[in-house]
Amino acid sequence: MKLLRYGPAGSEKPGMLDDQGRVRDLSAHVADIADEVLTPEGLARLAALNPADLPLVEGTPQRDLRLGPCVGNVRKFVAIGLNYADHAAESNMPVPSEPVVFNKWTSCIVGPDDDVRIPKGATKTDWEAELGIVIGKPAAGVTVEQALEHVAGYCVVNDVSEREWQLERGATWDKGKGFDTFGPIGPWMVTADEIPDPQNLSIWLEVDGKRYQDGTTKTMVFGVAELVAYCSHLMTLLPGDVITTGTPPGVGMGQNPKVFLKGGEVMRLGIEGLGEQTQKVVSQG
């Protein structure tokens, strides 16, 4: 299944994408794509529905029908750094021996095609196309072998980053990772049964039509199962929590000379089987 949330920002309704790429309304069955809806039991109930019996939503998704973040009520937005060896190299940082874990504030979450706003005075805003994991079954202290049982599905994430605040303003990466609009999620969450091998997905990002990132999740240092297990020892993972898993090489900071977003650009990114995002970059001065 491809589950999504559609409508105006802050008033999104739950939906499902049918085989023809049209949105079907789920409001009669669930209040949101969130919380217990993402548990194995909740997903099983949705899977039992016939999309053809659900009300058809007017409009074409991502054209004249806005899609919001594909998951509602995200309580934790956990991020992993330097999880591709070649990205660590372009960042002039060592490949980590354990996952690098930081936070993106949940207030940064926006829809897949909403504008990304450069913070006022910022000069080093950058992009990062990433595979997002959506937790379904609560996880606390799980093993690597158990970990994938706790995954509801996957989505595209743009881990937008302000490098000065991340790296030059007195430690803790979190400072540069959670500005408003720095967490586009979606367009939809694809349930885990449709992605049998999350370690075999192509991932890419373009800015103004120029492809900067063109990688594959095969080259992750720590795979999805390892990351879920590791994070579950640091915190209890709850339904709807999102873990974004790191980015392949090709970020602006890694270019020679470096390339940062100034405003007016258009970012386009996607992951095989998970859809695409498009964001206009807006300068706030």
Side-chain angles (χ1 to χ4, degrees), residues 68-201:
C70 58
V71 180
N73 194 34
V74 177
R75 283 169 282 199
K76 292 191 287 295
F77 193 3
V78 182
I80 307 299
L82 304 177
N83 199 30
Y84 290 74
D86 31 15
H87 171 57
E90 72 175 354
S91 303
N92 294 313
M93 297 181 187
V95 176
S97 57
E98 291 191 35
V100 174
V101 180
F102 59 93
N103 287 298
K104 289 179 75 74
W105 318 126
T106 56
S107 53
C108 81
I109 294 173
V110 291
D113 307 305
D114 291 345
D115 291 348
V116 166
R117 301 194 305 270
I118 297 175
K120 190 171 183 179
T123 59
K124 297 181 179 180
T125 302
D126 204 347
W127 57 82
E128 295 192 12
E130 305 198 2
L131 172 67
I133 306 166
V134 181
I135 298 299
K137 182 179 173 183
V142 304
T143 65
V144 172
E145 293 72 24
Q146 297 167 327
L148 293 184
E149 300 170 12
H150 297 262
V151 175
Y154 303 94
C155 63
V156 181
V157 176
N158 190 351
D159 175 20
V160 185
S161 309
E162 211 297 323
R163 301 301 188 187
E164 180 186 355
W165 281 98
Q166 177 190 355
L167 301 170
E168 303 171 26
R169 300 295 290 260
T172 75
W173 286 14
D174 313 61
K175 289 182 183 180
K177 293 286 191 170
F179 288 101
D180 289 354
T181 76
F182 272 28
I185 295 179
W188 31 74
M189 184 197 82
V190 180
T191 50
D193 60 295
E194 294 194 6
I195 307 293
D197 185 4
Q199 304 308 148
N200 189 26
L201 303 174

